[in-house]
Amino acid sequence: MKITALNGFKDILPDEIKQWRIVENIATDILERFNFSEIRLPILEKTDLFARSIGESTDIVEKEMYTFVEKQVTMRPEATASLVRAYIQHGLYVQKPVQKLFTIGPMFRHERPQKGRLRQFTQLSAEVLGSASAKIDAELIGMASYFFKTLNLDVSLELNSLGCPDCRPAFRQKLLAFIEDKYDHLCDDCKRRSTTNPLRVLDCKVESCRKEVADAPSIQESLCDVCADHFTTVQKSLDQLQIPYSLNKFMVRGLDYYVRTTFEFLTSDLGAQAAVCAGGRYDGLIEQLGGPKLPGIGFAMGLERLVLLLQQQQEEQEKTCETDLFVAGFGEGPSSFTFELVHALRLSSLRVAQDVEGKGLKSQMKQADKIGARFVLIIGDDELDSGVGVLRNMQTKEETKVSLTVEAVLEQVNNSTC
RNA sequence: GUGGAUGUAGCUCAGUUGGUUAGAGCACCUGGUUGUGGCCCAGGAGGCCGAGAGUUCAAAUCUCUUCAUCCACCCCA
């Protein structure tokens, strides 16, 4: 009976780490250029935090959270709630009126796993707290858009506005009336949705439902003046930054706190998991969680999905040299000598590999080749006696002599780049 | 939670109407070069055929149960 990882939990093996580093490094670089600061948050929070922010009746809160019932704590299913909690708890709004924050880390949702969907998954969340400006919406969306462009990923941007507590109820009524007429023609899921969350009927995947709601009232035409203004400015600002998008009146968001601007970056290469980045404005959330009456907007990106896309959409990366030098000592005396030399070379900043199994030279050469070492330093009895080793360049096959001192080896290896 | 598919070597997969000792490719190890990598050649190691029960003289193969994984629904990043 082998012990395996839990269903929906995945090991990220060394071969995949390169892609993760690419995603993380490019992301943090871009975030910093857009003046975002990193914040690191706990994974465990009081259950109540998520119930109050995400919404009591959402699927996430109702049946997908990993909760320790007796302790009333939950493994976070998303980061925005925790981030806003920290923002309020530490009074960050006092120091700076507008806070731009990001965080990267694991989230947990107990759903049935499938392609691009895990029970533990990693999200990058970027949030701007304290600004209601539509320009911020465009700036944030523009940043995400630039990020995907930098990664050379093929994604599309969809945009919608969900209105605000002033105008959404009226739209909801209009939509309910519309749905009532079509009720008998809708799928079972939509019949259920029409009472629990009517907006969700709009983005049903069933073909017949899509037809039925094709001419449903558009929320974009039911916005109040303030929301309509905001939405127009977001679009104008995106145009100004030359960021392509399409309006999608059927796009709604799953979390209760979203108002006004919502957006998704979509791909067609991940099966049912089309969204690689999604977000929106949540102007009431901070106040709802006990903070000041300040607006906010943010997005979350699923990094596993991005890594999958990188693997699918990009050509194999060239093998980069991850090891500068392989020190091959063979024979008892040389092996003892190289053991010490290798340590010293590592302390002096080189990436050095060695064999400690007492293998022959040929086997050590194979190892060196396999890990992509740039150089091999060969030391047998002769070299140890003379104090001069053989340094082989693995690409050019060129061999030079080098004194067996840290300084001499360091100089020769650093002289040539990968 | 619902539906469908798949479980054979580290990986990708063959395996006939049930029939000796379960195979291939890649990867790994050793040798061909007693001190030199990639290519080539020779050899080697590696399997409770997901697990449990049943049918049978005989099960990787048929039946049942169970577990796991994948895909889709739901939901969502």
Side-chain angles (χ1 to χ4, degrees), chain A residues 72 77 106 116 331:
Chain A
Q72 295 278 296

Side-chain angles (χ1 to χ4, degrees), chain A residues 361-376:
Chain A
L361 178 59
K362 184 185 172 115
S363 172
Q364 296 197 45
M365 291 299 292
K366 279 189 179 174
Q367 285 181 55
D369 181 53
K370 201 164 72 183
I371 62 175
R374 290 161 54 211
F375 288 95
V376 176

Side-chain angles (χ1 to χ4, degrees), chain A residues 195-216:
Chain A
T195 53
T196 56
N197 191 348
L199 292 182
R200 283 240 150 254
V201 176
L202 292 177
D203 69 349
C204 182
K205 278 180 198 160
V206 177
E207 192 57 37
S208 56
C209 291
R210 300 190 98 133
K211 270 187 196 150
E212 291 297 332
V213 300
D215 54 346

Side-chain angles (χ1 to χ4, degrees), chain A residues 33-139:
Chain A
R33 277 194 266 160
F34 280 74
N35 313 114
F36 280 75
S37 306
E38 183 174 4
I39 182 169
R40 299 194 185 186
L41 303 161
I43 285 168
L44 213 55
E45 296 272 4
K46 285 184 184 156
T47 304
D48 200 33
L49 173 66
F50 302 117
R52 278 165 62 186
S53 59
I54 298 169
E56 298 272 6
S57 65
T58 57
D59 279 18
I60 293 178
V61 171
E62 264 186 357
K63 49 196 189 200
E64 293 176 2
M65 296 206 299
Y66 282 90
T67 295
F68 299 84
V69 177
E70 69 287 358
K71 306 232 193 264
Q72 295 278 296
V73 295
T74 293
M75 314 263 281
R76 62 180 181 191
E78 59 111 36
T80 304
S82 306
L83 191 139
V84 169
R85 193 225 76 229
Y87 172 80
I88 297 167
Q89 181 177 337
H90 303 286
L92 296 184
Y93 47 88
V94 178
Q95 304 166 22
K96 247 200 300 182
V98 178
Q99 287 276 349
K100 298 162 90 173
L101 301 166
F102 77 94
T103 191
I104 300 177
M107 309 296 157
F108 303 84
R109 290 182 202 172
H110 191 101
E111 304 175 271
R112 196 76 164 257
Q114 64 188 74
K115 183 171 186 158
R117 191 172 79 184
L118 296 164
R119 287 182 173 173
Q120 177 181 330
F121 58 101
T122 311
Q123 275 189 346
L124 184 158
S125 306
E127 320 275 349
V128 183
L129 305 174
S131 171
S133 166
K135 281 185 183 164
I136 278 293
D137 301 26
E139 186 184 279

Side-chain angles (χ1 to χ4, degrees), chain A residues 374-391:
Chain A
R374 290 161 54 211
F375 288 95
V376 176
L377 178 59
I378 298 166
I379 303 172
D381 286 323
D382 295 349
E383 286 77 12
L384 188 58
D385 289 345
S386 63
V388 178
V390 174
L391 187 67

Side-chain angles (χ1 to χ4, degrees), chain A residues 22 63 69 90 94 109 113 123 136 138-139 162 164 208 213 222-223 225 246 284 291 309 327 340 355 390 410 415:
Chain A
I22 289 172
K63 49 196 189 200
V69 177
H90 303 286
V94 178
R109 290 182 202 172
Q123 275 189 346
I136 278 293
E139 186 184 279
L162 294 183
C164 66
S208 56
V213 300
S222 308
L223 298 175
D225 290 349
S246 53
L309 277 186
V327 177
E340 196 178 323
D355 167 75
V390 174
L410 197 58
N415 250 336

Side-chain angles (χ1 to χ4, degrees), chain A residues 194-351:
Chain A
S194 64
T195 53
T196 56
N197 191 348
L199 292 182
R200 283 240 150 254
V201 176
L202 292 177
D203 69 349
C204 182
K205 278 180 198 160
V206 177
E207 192 57 37
S208 56
C209 291
R210 300 190 98 133
K211 270 187 196 150
E212 291 297 332
V213 300
D215 54 346
S218 166
I219 188 159
Q220 292 170 15
E221 284 151 21
S222 308
L223 298 175
C224 61
D225 290 349
V226 184
C227 286
D229 264 9
H230 187 93
F231 195 42
T232 307
T233 310
V234 171
Q235 292 174 62
K236 275 189 188 156
S237 306
L238 285 173
D239 292 340
Q240 196 182 354
L241 299 178
Q242 299 185 348
I243 291 155
Y245 59 88
S246 53
L247 297 178
N248 181 357
K249 66 173 183 175
F250 297 125
M251 187 182 76
V252 297
R253 308 296 352 275
L255 284 57
D256 280 1
Y257 52 63
Y258 285 115
V259 295
R260 289 188 187 153
T261 314
T262 60
F263 57 93
E264 284 184 359
F265 287 86
L266 304 171
T267 172
S268 52
D269 292 342
L270 288 180
Q273 270 57 51
V276 291
C277 172
R281 190 159 267 290
Y282 44 82
D283 289 345
L285 180 62
I286 298 170
E287 189 179 18
Q288 192 187 322
L289 290 177
K293 191 171 164 46
L294 288 171
I297 182 172
F299 65 69
M301 285 195 292
L303 297 193
E304 279 81 2
R305 290 180 185 179
L306 287 184
V307 169
L308 274 176
L309 277 186
L310 271 184
Q311 288 167 353
Q312 272 176 228
Q313 295 189 357
Q314 291 200 337
E315 310 278 305
E316 285 271 313
Q317 307 270 327
E318 271 186 36
K319 212 162 83 174
T320 53
C321 300
E322 277 153 17
T323 308
D324 298 310
L325 178 67
F326 188 101
V327 177
F330 54 102
E332 226 169 90
S335 296
S336 170
F337 172 78
T338 56
F339 185 67
E340 196 178 323
L341 178 66
V342 164
H343 188 67
L345 286 168
R346 284 171 175 160
L347 297 189
S348 72
S349 87
L350 285 186
R351 296 169 300 182

